Every structure is written in C-alpha cells, then in structure tokens.
Amino acid sequence: MPSQSIVSTPTKALKEKKEKKASLFNQPLSVWAIFFASVIAFMGIGLVNPILPEIANKLNASPSQVTLLFTSYNAVMAFAMLITGVISTRLGHKWTLLLGVGIIAAVSVTGGFANNIWTLVGLRGGWGLGNALFVATALAAIVSLSKSGTAKAIILYEAAVGLGISIGPLLGGTLGSISWRGPFFGVSTLMLFVFIILITLMPKAKDNNLETTSTAKQKTSLLDPFRAMKHRSLLVLGLVAALYNVGFFTIMAYAPFVLGLDAKGLGYVFLGWGILLAITSVFMAPKLQQRFGTIKSMRIMLSLFVLDLVVMGIFTSLQWVVICAVIFAGAILGNNNTLITTAVMDAAPVERSTASAAYSFLRFIGAAISPFMAAKLAEVFNPHVPFLVGGSFVLLSLLFVLLNDKHVRHVDELESVL
C-alpha cells in the first residue's frame, strides 16, 4: 500500500529509483564528514564496554549497579529522542550535531574524574542526551544529503555504527588495561576531534539541502513523534526494536561479567562482534533484502538471535561457547539493524526525522530496561537466566512481527516497485 509510505508520489518514487542506481561510495564530502563523526560517536559506546568489571572492582559496585551505566544512558537517550526534532528544526542539523558532540565531550571528561558509581551513572545519563542529539540528527542528515537513496544511505550509516562499535572495544580495552578512567578521557579527546571535523566540513544551513521540502521547513512539535506512533506500521516496528534490544543489551552490558576476561580480552571479543556487525550491515543485509524482502529477512534474523541467546543461556559456564555466541550475535544484529532501520524510514507517511525519533524512543526504552534487569536476574537466580530471559523477549518481537504482518508488508511492496 504505497499510500502508507513516506514515498507517496510517482515523482518521488522515480527520483528514489534513480538514486538506487547511484554508488554507495559516491557521496558529498558532508556525508563522509557525518559518517566519520558517527564512527567516532559510536566508538564511545564500545569504549566503556570492556571496563565494566573493572569499574565494579575499583568503585566497589555490584554488577547490577554498574549496568546502570547503560540503563541511565539508554533511558535518557530514549526520552531525549522525542525532542531531537524540535531542537534540530530550530538550530539546524549542523548545530544540533555540534551540541550533541559538545555534551558528550564534557560529560565523558568529567566521568574520568568520578570517584563513585552514582556520579558515573548520572554522567552517563548526560552522555545519553548528547548521543540522542547526535544519533537522530546524523541519520536524518545522511539520508537527506546522500546521492544514493534512502536504502544505501542507511547502509552507510549502519556501517559507521558497526565500525564505531567494533573499534571502540579494542581501544577501550587497551586504554582500560592502563586505567578504567582512560576510556572516558579517550572519548572526550575523540569528541573534540569530531567537533572540529563537523564545524569545518558540514555545509552552512543556507548552502545545504537538508531541509528542502515544505514540511521539513516547518518547526517540529514535541507531539509529532507521538502522532507518528498512531501509524500502526511505525508503532509495530518500534515495539519490535524495543523487544529485541532487550537481547541486544543483555549481550552488551551483562556478557562481560560472565566471560571472565580482562579489559583487553573483552576488547578483542567485542572487536570481533563489531566487525561482523559492520560487514553484515553493509554487504549481507542488502542481499537478504533483495532475495527475501525486508520483513521476511528480519524474521529470519530474529529467529537466529533467539537461538543464539538460548545457546548462551544453556552453556553460560563454557567460556569458548559464550565468546563464539557473542561474536556470532554481531552478524545477526548487523543484518537486523539495517533491515529494521530501512523499514522504519518507509513505514509511515511522516518526515524521516520524526519517524526516526519515534522509533528510537521505543527502541531505547528496551535498551534501558535490559542491562539492570539482566544483572538483577543473575544476582537473584543464576548466570544462565539473563540470556534465557533476553531470548524470550526476542521471541516476543518475532511473534509480534508475525502477528502484525499486514501492517508492515507494504514496506516490501514499496521496495518491489522502486
């Protein structure tokens, strides 16, 4: 049903058909600036990952308290996503990106001087605010400025995410082996570098084509993301993302505590995870889309993710099995992230920035719940339970897609005509 898509006119459909023939790598300099900035921004997530056990040890905190570093980050990020459109339509994409980067730089350097877990948890909330401003705006900016169409622009964005997440743990593990404070200072330095890149290479508002449509020039309302959720297709995809992110962040925030590795060892494991995430998001996800369609491919990936988490839940005490399962999860998540983000961009007849804000709000609610819940389940029951519960949430997301097929199938119908 093309009427339910953002691409609702023949003219726009023809334009995107032409764009799809363009090379993924034939992009304006401004797109590459945002791409590189996104790589460094997402390195910030992985930088902290390998030092979670060390933070618990040095600050005399329990695993559940340390996982609040992810919970506060994702919770603030989820709600901040609702205001990114309001801010970006008033400041412009360039200055919204710079504001986000500046906040991350400030809170990360302050985190390096923190002496207790609760200060660090609060600062990670501020980090989530900065990342929300950056992430939502970066995706919208890359899609708007790209010469190769929505699908390839999203692939480029997910590649940046994958590269950042893969390089981050290695750098974090290396700096963390010196001191747990090292990655925080490392992030602030990198963010200053990003600030310089963006302010130098991003075009001025009057020179760019980020807001070319009449609707984009209007000021976005705080209520727009909630209005967007009235579209069943967007709501379904957002809830699916929220559910499978419980499994995603069970791996990110809880797996380091059961692997029994030092910071550098954890860095190498999540390096492998991130490399597979990056490769599959760029090269494998488009092939799956062409062969099976977006929605069917998503169902396949969610099924594999359920099995992967169940394996981790059953064989939690076997280190090599958990390591292999964590790395393999990167391939699954790389595919699924690209598939679901592509589907969201064409899910409902709303501006892409608004769709991204609504989807990201729901997505990061799941990511906020998962880390603390996983650690608490391990403390109350045993180390196997968090992975099994995470797998149950991913299974729910799969069932949700199947039960709501009629509301999302138009995404594949649209792709078949473009």
Side-chain angles (χ1 to χ4, degrees):
M1 298 185 296
S3 62
Q4 289 188 334
S5 169
I6 293 169
V7 186
S8 55
T9 65
T11 304
K12 201 165 185 180
L14 262 176
K15 181 184 176 184
E16 292 213 5
K17 188 173 182 180
K18 193 178 290 184
E19 285 176 335
K20 286 182 80 173
K21 296 179 181 178
S23 168
L24 174 67
F25 302 104
N26 181 25
Q27 305 290 354
L29 189 59
S30 55
V31 169
W32 289 115
I34 301 168
F35 172 85
F36 185 67
S38 298
V39 171
I40 296 178
F42 279 96
M43 282 175 65
I45 300 174
L47 274 166
V48 177
N49 188 252
I51 60 171
L52 294 178
E54 185 66 11
I55 291 174
N57 181 45
K58 296 296 185 184
L59 297 184
N60 297 315
S62 67
S64 60
Q65 289 174 332
V66 173
T67 57
L68 288 172
L69 294 175
F70 279 100
T71 295
S72 64
Y73 172 86
N74 287 318
V76 172
M77 192 169 176
F79 286 96
M81 284 292 180
L82 298 173
I83 64 169
T84 54
V86 175
I87 294 173
S88 65
T89 54
R90 286 158 176 76
L91 294 183
H93 286 79
K94 179 175 182 177
W95 290 105
T96 305
L97 289 170
L98 290 171
L99 177 61
V101 168
I103 291 172
I104 296 170
V107 298
S108 59
V109 73
T110 307
F113 293 104
N115 289 315
N116 66 78
I117 189 63
W118 302 113
T119 300
L120 213 50
V121 168
L123 289 168
R124 279 287 283 180
W127 196 325
L129 171 62
N131 220 49
L133 292 169
F134 182 89
V135 168
T137 310
L139 175 57
I142 284 180
V143 170
S144 299
L145 285 168
S146 173
K147 291 181 177 179
S148 57
T150 301
K152 288 181 181 176
I154 290 169
I155 291 168
L156 195 65
Y157 174 78
E158 291 295 342
V161 173
L163 284 171
I165 290 177
S166 63
I167 298 169
L170 183 61
L171 184 59
T174 302
L175 295 174
S177 64
I178 301 169
S179 168
W180 70 265
R181 300 178 188 275
F184 287 92
F185 294 130
V187 168
S188 62
T189 303
L190 289 171
M191 286 298 108
L192 287 175
F193 186 46
V194 166
F195 193 93
I196 294 169
I197 290 173
L198 291 176
I199 204 167
T200 304
L201 298 180
M202 279 283 287
K204 294 179 181 179
K206 63 181 181 181
D207 298 328
N208 68 36
N209 64 339
L210 288 176
E211 326 226 69
T212 54
T213 66
S214 58
T215 53
K217 289 178 182 177
Q218 297 171 0
K219 294 283 192 293
T220 300
S221 164
L222 279 170
L223 296 176
D224 283 351
F226 292 103
R227 294 190 186 107
M229 288 182 219
K230 291 180 181 178
H231 297 282
R232 185 69 175 265
S233 53
L234 183 59
L235 180 62
V236 167
L237 292 170
L239 291 174
V240 166
L243 290 168
Y244 95 78
N245 261 298
V246 174
F248 186 119
F249 277 87
T250 295
I251 293 176
M252 281 287 286
Y254 175 68
F257 291 101
V258 301
L259 286 172
L261 298 170
D262 61 14
K264 194 172 288 188
L266 288 170
Y268 284 122
V269 170
F270 282 94
L271 171 66
W273 176 81
I275 288 173
L276 283 184
L277 190 149
I279 291 172
T280 54
S281 66
V282 176
F283 300 106
M284 190 173 176
K287 299 294 183 185
L288 290 172
Q289 283 176 302
Q290 290 171 12
R291 180 157 186 180
F292 302 109
T294 300
I295 304 303
K296 187 175 181 180
S297 299
M298 194 189 307
R299 294 200 297 259
I300 294 170
M301 289 301 112
L302 290 173
S303 301
L304 289 173
F305 195 24
V306 172
L307 293 174
D308 193 55
L309 284 163
V310 169
V311 167
M312 280 190 265
I314 295 172
F315 300 102
T316 309
S317 56
L318 292 178
Q319 186 188 60
W320 70 270
V321 173
V322 179
I323 289 174
C324 291
V326 167
I327 293 172
F328 181 64
I332 299 170
L333 295 166
N335 281 310
N336 204 55
N337 286 349
T338 296
L339 292 167
I340 196 166
T341 306
T342 302
V344 165
M345 290 295 103
D346 286 331
V350 297
E351 287 298 317
R352 287 183 174 122
S353 57
T354 301
S356 177
Y359 159 71
S360 296
F361 167 70
L362 294 171
R363 178 185 189 183
F364 286 106
I365 286 292
I369 293 169
S370 176
F372 183 73
M373 181 181 73
K376 268 299 177 186
L377 287 170
E379 289 173 9
V380 174
F381 298 102
N382 60 64
H384 302 263
V385 173
F387 295 114
L388 297 175
V389 171
S392 299
F393 274 88
V394 179
L395 179 60
L396 282 176
S397 74
L398 174 60
L399 293 174
F400 202 64
V401 173
L402 292 170
L403 292 172
N404 289 276
D405 180 69
K406 66 180 180 179
H407 298 292
V408 294
R409 68 173 64 152
H410 71 275
V411 172
D412 285 330
E413 292 171 3
L414 174 65
E415 288 175 358
S416 68
V417 298
L418 287 178

PDB file of all heavy atoms in Angstrom, residues 11 16 23 69 91 113 172 235 344 364:
ATOM      1  N   THR A  11       6.560  11.043  -8.643  1.00  0.00           N
ATOM      2  CA  THR A  11       7.787  11.818  -8.862  1.00  0.00           C
ATOM      3  C   THR A  11       8.862  11.424  -7.878  1.00  0.00           C
ATOM      4  O   THR A  11      10.022  11.195  -8.250  1.00  0.00           O
ATOM      5  CB  THR A  11       7.496  13.326  -8.719  1.00  0.00           C
ATOM      6  OG1 THR A  11       6.450  13.680  -9.613  1.00  0.00           O
ATOM      7  CG2 THR A  11       8.734  14.138  -9.031  1.00  0.00           C
ATOM      8  N   GLU A  16      13.783   8.279  -6.304  1.00  0.00           N
ATOM      9  CA  GLU A  16      14.473   7.298  -5.477  1.00  0.00           C
ATOM     10  C   GLU A  16      14.926   6.106  -6.304  1.00  0.00           C
ATOM     11  O   GLU A  16      15.933   5.479  -6.006  1.00  0.00           O
ATOM     12  CB  GLU A  16      13.569   6.861  -4.322  1.00  0.00           C
ATOM     13  CG  GLU A  16      13.330   7.983  -3.339  1.00  0.00           C
ATOM     14  CD  GLU A  16      13.174   7.464  -1.924  1.00  0.00           C
ATOM     15  OE1 GLU A  16      13.354   6.258  -1.710  1.00  0.00           O
ATOM     16  OE2 GLU A  16      12.870   8.281  -1.045  1.00  0.00           O
ATOM     17  N   SER A  23      26.160   4.883  -6.811  1.00  0.00           N
ATOM     18  CA  SER A  23      27.092   4.121  -5.978  1.00  0.00           C
ATOM     19  C   SER A  23      26.974   4.530  -4.518  1.00  0.00           C
ATOM     20  O   SER A  23      26.762   5.698  -4.203  1.00  0.00           O
ATOM     21  CB  SER A  23      28.523   4.359  -6.474  1.00  0.00           C
ATOM     22  OG  SER A  23      29.459   3.860  -5.537  1.00  0.00           O
ATOM     23  N   LEU A  69      25.017   2.120  34.233  1.00  0.00           N
ATOM     24  CA  LEU A  69      25.714   2.996  33.291  1.00  0.00           C
ATOM     25  C   LEU A  69      25.051   2.920  31.912  1.00  0.00           C
ATOM     26  O   LEU A  69      24.999   3.900  31.171  1.00  0.00           O
ATOM     27  CB  LEU A  69      27.195   2.622  33.179  1.00  0.00           C
ATOM     28  CG  LEU A  69      28.053   2.818  34.430  1.00  0.00           C
ATOM     29  CD1 LEU A  69      29.460   2.287  34.197  1.00  0.00           C
ATOM     30  CD2 LEU A  69      28.103   4.286  34.811  1.00  0.00           C
ATOM     31  N   LEU A  91      17.665  24.737  15.557  1.00  0.00           N
ATOM     32  CA  LEU A  91      19.100  25.010  15.462  1.00  0.00           C
ATOM     33  C   LEU A  91      19.669  24.662  14.089  1.00  0.00           C
ATOM     34  O   LEU A  91      20.703  25.186  13.692  1.00  0.00           O
ATOM     35  CB  LEU A  91      19.852  24.209  16.526  1.00  0.00           C
ATOM     36  CG  LEU A  91      19.609  24.556  18.000  1.00  0.00           C
ATOM     37  CD1 LEU A  91      20.497  23.693  18.893  1.00  0.00           C
ATOM     38  CD2 LEU A  91      19.868  26.024  18.265  1.00  0.00           C
ATOM     39  N   PHE A 113      37.025  11.690  36.036  1.00  0.00           N
ATOM     40  CA  PHE A 113      37.433  12.124  37.374  1.00  0.00           C
ATOM     41  C   PHE A 113      36.481  11.630  38.472  1.00  0.00           C
ATOM     42  O   PHE A 113      36.683  11.922  39.646  1.00  0.00           O
ATOM     43  CB  PHE A 113      37.490  13.664  37.432  1.00  0.00           C
ATOM     44  CG  PHE A 113      38.574  14.267  36.584  1.00  0.00           C
ATOM     45  CD1 PHE A 113      38.276  14.881  35.380  1.00  0.00           C
ATOM     46  CD2 PHE A 113      39.911  14.206  36.992  1.00  0.00           C
ATOM     47  CE1 PHE A 113      39.279  15.440  34.590  1.00  0.00           C
ATOM     48  CE2 PHE A 113      40.915  14.759  36.212  1.00  0.00           C
ATOM     49  CZ  PHE A 113      40.608  15.377  35.006  1.00  0.00           C
ATOM     50  N   GLY A 172      38.978   0.771  23.930  1.00  0.00           N
ATOM     51  CA  GLY A 172      38.590   0.808  25.334  1.00  0.00           C
ATOM     52  C   GLY A 172      39.326  -0.217  26.167  1.00  0.00           C
ATOM     53  O   GLY A 172      39.735   0.061  27.298  1.00  0.00           O
ATOM     54  N   LEU A 235       4.566   1.977  14.784  1.00  0.00           N
ATOM     55  CA  LEU A 235       4.452   1.502  16.160  1.00  0.00           C
ATOM     56  C   LEU A 235       4.902   0.053  16.284  1.00  0.00           C
ATOM     57  O   LEU A 235       5.633  -0.307  17.214  1.00  0.00           O
ATOM     58  CB  LEU A 235       3.006   1.636  16.635  1.00  0.00           C
ATOM     59  CG  LEU A 235       2.718   1.180  18.078  1.00  0.00           C
ATOM     60  CD1 LEU A 235       3.498   2.027  19.077  1.00  0.00           C
ATOM     61  CD2 LEU A 235       1.220   1.248  18.364  1.00  0.00           C
ATOM     62  N   VAL A 344      11.731   1.220   8.854  1.00  0.00           N
ATOM     63  CA  VAL A 344      11.181   2.367   9.586  1.00  0.00           C
ATOM     64  C   VAL A 344      11.137   3.606   8.707  1.00  0.00           C
ATOM     65  O   VAL A 344      10.172   4.377   8.740  1.00  0.00           O
ATOM     66  CB  VAL A 344      12.007   2.643  10.861  1.00  0.00           C
ATOM     67  CG1 VAL A 344      11.692   4.019  11.436  1.00  0.00           C
ATOM     68  CG2 VAL A 344      11.734   1.574  11.907  1.00  0.00           C
ATOM     69  N   PHE A 364      15.075   2.488  22.434  1.00  0.00           N
ATOM     70  CA  PHE A 364      15.974   2.651  23.575  1.00  0.00           C
ATOM     71  C   PHE A 364      15.283   2.459  24.920  1.00  0.00           C
ATOM     72  O   PHE A 364      15.964   2.328  25.937  1.00  0.00           O
ATOM     73  CB  PHE A 364      16.694   4.000  23.483  1.00  0.00           C
ATOM     74  CG  PHE A 364      17.759   4.012  22.423  1.00  0.00           C
ATOM     75  CD1 PHE A 364      17.556   4.685  21.230  1.00  0.00           C
ATOM     76  CD2 PHE A 364      18.941   3.314  22.604  1.00  0.00           C
ATOM     77  CE1 PHE A 364      18.535   4.677  20.240  1.00  0.00           C
ATOM     78  CE2 PHE A 364      19.925   3.300  21.623  1.00  0.00           C
ATOM     79  CZ  PHE A 364      19.717   3.980  20.434  1.00  0.00           C
TER      80      PHE A 364
END
